[in-house]
Each structure stands twice: as C-alpha cells, then as structure tokens.
Amino acid sequence: MNIILVTIAYPPEIRSISTMTKELAEELVKRGHQVTVLTSWPKYNLSGEAEGKRFNADSMENGVRVIRIKTLPHHKVNYLLRGVAQITLPFFFMRSFKKLVKDKVDAVVVYSPHLPLAQVGARIKRMYGVRYLLNIQDIFPQNAVDLGILKNRLIIKFFERMERKAYSEADAITTHTVGGRQFLIERKGVPSHKIKVVENWIDVGPYLRMRASGIFRARYGLAGKFIFLFPGVFGPAQNLDFIVAIAKRVSGIHEMCFLFVGDGTDKIRLQEQVRAHGLRNVIFQPFVSSEEYPLLVKEVNVGLLSLGGDNKTAAVPGKLLSYMAASLPVVAFLNKESEGHRIINDAQCGYAIIPDDVERAAHLICDVFKNRGQLDELGRNGYDYVTKHFSKQACINALERLICV
C-alpha cells in the first residue's frame, strides 16, 4: 500500500511523537508498504548538532520518503500567533502534497496534535477515496481549556466544531489510553465502534545496547550527584514550577540535584525562578539527540514525570516508557486522570502522586533518596513490564490492521 503519514514532528525534532512516527514509517516500509511522511520543517526541539544542519524539502530516509514543509512559527510565540499558525497548517501541507505526491494513495494516517492536521487527512481521503486513520495523542481543545490557555468561548467553540468534524470524517480513531477512549465516547460523542486503544510503544533495543559511561555526568559537572531527570518540553502542561518548588524545599541535601534537559516556552521563566531562589540544585541543559538520549537516562538515578492537576485527560507522558526501557525508576507527579498512575502502580516501577501538596512531594523525594538501595529493583520491574505490555511490534501490528482494512 502507498500510505501517507501526516505529523507535525519528525526527527531530528526531539519529541516522543517524532520518534514514534519514524519507527512506524520505517516498520511499515519493512513490511512492504510505500510510506511518505508529511511533516513540518525542523526548527524546534533540536539538539545542538541538528541546529546547524541543512535539510531537503523532499528526501529518502531509511526507505521512507520525507517531505518537510515550511509553516508559520508555532512554537515560542504567543498563543494568538500559535493559533493562527496551527489553523494555516492544512494549507501549507496540502500545497506541498499536491505539488510533490503524484502516485496513487491507498491510505492516510494523521497524528494529532495539531488538530488542524486532521483536515489534511480528510482532504486526501476525499481526493483518493482512501481509508483515513486519525491518531489522537492529546485531546484538543480540552487540554488547552483545562490549562487556561483557551478562555474565549467563541474560540473554544470554533475548535470544538473543528474537533467534531475531525472525528466524524475519520474512518477509524486511535488513542493511547483507555481513559482517553472513554473521554471521547462519553464527552465528545464518538461512536464506540469507531475508536480503538493502541498504546504508544517503545523500542527497547537502543536502551539495551547502552551502558552508563559517565559522559553526561562529566559534561554537566555532576559526578557523584544523585540525579532526578526531567527531559523534554518545558511548557504549561508540564507544571514544572512544582518541581522547582520541591527543589527549593530539599536544597539542603547537597548530594541531590534536579536536571532539566530540553527547552520550551517556560524555560526562561523557570530559569529566572531558580535564580531568584538562589537554587544550586537545579540545572538546565539543552536537548540531546535521540541517539544520545538512551545513554543520558542510563546515567541518572530517577526519572521524573510531571503533569499539572488542571489537566483532565488520561494522557501518559511518553518519557515514562523510555524510563522503563532504561530500567530507570520513576517518580511521577500527575493529574488524577492520567493513566500513568495505573501503569506505574501495576509495574511497581516507582511512585506516583497527585501534584496538590509540595510538602508531601518533597517528603517523597527525600524518601526515594534515603531508600536508594531499593531503586534497582524498581528499575528492573519497569523494564519487565514495558517489554511485556508496550512492544513495538504488537502496537504497530494493531495500527497496520486498522490502516489496511
């Protein structure tokens, strides 16, 4: 089959969704399909090495045709400009698609965010009469409403209409959590037969091949430190003020530090907050490449997850699976609806609480540090669980069945 895969992010951008779409595309090629990825031009969440690299608008990468599309800025701009950029995405994507894709298409898969990209899937479906699968990672606009980003009722209604149309035009919808599926059925009226749960996956291979070498500890000047790591995007949803508040309360434990590796809209504000409090136990570093990331998580002691209590959906941060693949114990501060609580408890790979009490959270961090002799067992539990329940092959099998009906 000739499959079009539409996604806002693809490597070298460093995001869970970019890694997954790359692995999906390359696996489908191995299975005999022809895959073309439509994605935005790499500008955000890049490692230092990738920032200076030149990219082609149309290239073959590991058997996958990748079409990169220049769009309006949709990161590190105010929310009004970001909204305009998102609404115009279908125009830019369809313009490149019509110009560059001449072969007959058999199926289209769209990953959301961003929701307007669903219009690309619907248009390709109408053009070719093909099957259209919509994968929902974040439930928008609900997540933006929960976080207080969207407040204007007219704008909310505009995006809710877009959302209803997206769900109605897709032939099948997938979400990565049971709670997300129930939310879409009960709150959004999506027919139950139309929506399936297909978990996000992790390829444990790169984590098995890596051994901690101390390179990142040396690079960051953290030799001998007990490191709590938060890698990824620093935005409103991540509620990282809560982690900084914890760091302030445990700053007297000099062996302990909190390492933030990544970037995002909240980074400068968080750095100013750390300076204002005079915290020496919080360190910020830029993104590392996807190739180096497994080594980074192998060198730290605990992986952190954080989602604000204002979130009302069942979303699970993608980095949870990478921690488990690396046999890294987890401490999670997640909204009560997140299925991360269930996964961590079932796996017995760490601790998960609601982020409603900084003092309680600081006590948990201190207990983890005090009882660090138990962490290896938690890490092994996580690895065993992720290999059993989040296999790349099993998850892609499920997606392929939905695509190739």
Side-chain angles (χ1 to χ4, degrees):
M1 293 182 71
N2 183 9
I3 301 168
I4 305 297
L5 180 56
V6 182
T7 175
I8 194 64
Y10 197 80
E13 287 203 7
I14 302 167
R15 294 175 62 181
S16 298
I17 191 173
S18 63
T19 301
M20 278 198 308
T21 50
K22 177 178 183 288
E23 291 176 354
L24 173 60
E26 292 180 357
E27 182 61 28
L28 289 173
V29 167
K30 287 179 184 176
R31 297 181 184 197
H33 300 287
Q34 180 180 333
V35 180
T36 298
V37 172
L38 303 180
T39 189
S40 61
W41 201 269
K43 289 189 291 186
Y44 311 105
N45 304 335
L46 299 173
S47 67
E49 179 184 351
E51 282 182 350
K53 187 177 177 181
R54 297 185 66 178
F55 301 95
N56 295 320
D58 189 357
S59 60
M60 291 297 297
E61 302 176 13
N62 296 327
V64 178
R65 185 183 183 190
V66 181
I67 296 174
R68 293 190 165 90
I69 301 158
K70 292 184 177 179
T71 66
L72 298 178
H74 51 85
H75 278 64
K76 292 190 175 181
V77 293
N78 66 51
Y79 290 122
L80 176 61
L81 293 178
R82 187 180 302 186
V84 171
Q86 290 189 23
I87 290 168
T88 59
L89 286 174
F91 167 76
F92 292 109
F93 272 61
M94 287 304 301
R95 184 175 67 177
S96 292
F97 173 79
K98 291 176 180 177
K99 178 182 178 182
L100 297 172
V101 178
K102 303 302 180 182
D103 296 336
K104 182 183 180 299
V105 173
D106 299 303
V108 58
V109 180
V110 175
Y111 269 69
S112 176
H114 298 303
L115 181 64
L117 289 177
Q119 297 173 33
V120 178
R123 292 178 191 178
I124 294 174
K125 172 185 174 178
R126 287 194 295 269
M127 286 175 64
Y128 291 94
V130 299
R131 185 166 176 80
Y132 164 31
L133 172 65
L134 176 62
N135 181 294
I136 301 294
Q137 292 290 313
D138 294 329
I139 300 176
F140 182 86
Q142 185 64 50
N143 56 351
V145 173
D146 291 342
L147 294 169
I149 295 170
L150 281 183
K151 298 177 182 179
N152 185 292
R153 288 305 307 167
L154 291 177
I155 296 175
I156 293 169
K157 286 182 181 297
F158 170 81
F159 281 115
E160 286 177 339
R161 283 195 299 271
M162 183 186 295
E163 182 187 22
R164 286 193 297 271
K165 189 176 183 185
Y167 299 153
S168 67
E169 290 180 323
D171 294 302
I173 299 169
T174 60
T175 182
H176 63 288
T177 63
V178 174
R181 180 177 184 270
Q182 288 304 117
F183 185 93
L184 292 179
I185 292 169
E186 296 170 5
R187 297 278 299 275
K188 299 298 179 178
V190 177
S192 59
H193 69 270
K194 195 174 189 177
I195 183 166
K196 308 292 183 187
V197 175
V198 179
E199 288 91 351
N200 292 341
W201 63 84
I202 187 77
D203 181 0
V204 301
Y207 297 87
L208 284 176
R209 291 190 289 271
M210 292 291 184
R211 294 288 181 271
S213 65
I215 185 171
F216 283 103
R217 286 177 173 269
R219 183 185 300 178
Y220 300 153
L222 299 176
K225 292 287 188 178
F226 187 92
I227 303 173
F228 290 89
L229 171 70
F230 185 92
V233 176
F234 312 152
Q238 282 70 46
N239 191 35
L240 296 179
D241 300 77
F242 191 77
I243 305 296
V244 172
I246 295 169
K248 182 180 178 183
R249 282 162 174 77
V250 301
S251 58
I253 305 175
H254 300 298
E255 301 97 321
M256 185 193 301
C257 71
F258 296 81
L259 174 62
F260 292 81
V261 178
D263 201 352
T265 54
D266 282 2
K267 182 175 182 178
I268 293 175
R269 185 181 58 77
L270 290 166
Q271 289 176 314
E272 290 173 350
Q273 197 177 119
V274 167
R275 282 194 292 270
H277 293 308
L279 299 180
R280 304 184 65 180
N281 60 342
V282 180
I283 298 94
F284 290 89
Q285 294 292 341
F287 277 110
V288 300
S289 69
S290 55
E291 291 77 19
E292 289 183 306
Y293 177 75
L295 181 57
L296 171 67
V297 293
K298 284 280 189 175
E299 291 197 9
V300 303
N301 301 97
V302 176
L304 293 174
L305 300 177
S306 182
L307 285 175
D310 291 337
N311 290 284
K312 301 301 178 188
T313 61
V316 178
K319 59 181 69 69
L320 171 59
L321 302 187
S322 69
Y323 294 161
M324 297 168 81
S327 301
L328 184 67
V330 181
V331 172
F333 307 108
L334 302 172
N335 59 302
K336 65 182 180 182
E337 295 85 357
S338 172
E339 286 195 15
H341 292 282
R342 176 187 61 78
I343 294 170
I344 292 165
N345 289 331
D346 287 353
Q348 292 295 292
C349 65
Y351 309 92
I353 63 173
I354 298 168
D356 60 352
D357 186 335
V358 174
E359 294 297 338
R360 179 186 176 209
H363 282 302
L364 174 59
I365 290 292
C366 291
D367 286 343
V368 168
F369 176 70
K370 186 186 306 180
N371 299 305
R372 50 194 177 276
Q374 302 173 7
L375 296 181
D376 285 347
E377 181 181 355
L378 296 178
R380 288 192 297 270
N381 291 345
Y383 176 80
D384 291 343
Y385 190 89
V386 81
T387 53
K388 181 177 180 181
H389 295 278
F390 297 98
S391 149
K392 182 177 81 168
Q393 292 297 322
C395 295
I396 294 181
N397 286 346
L399 286 174
E400 186 181 26
R401 287 193 294 270
L402 290 169
I403 296 167
C404 302
V405 170

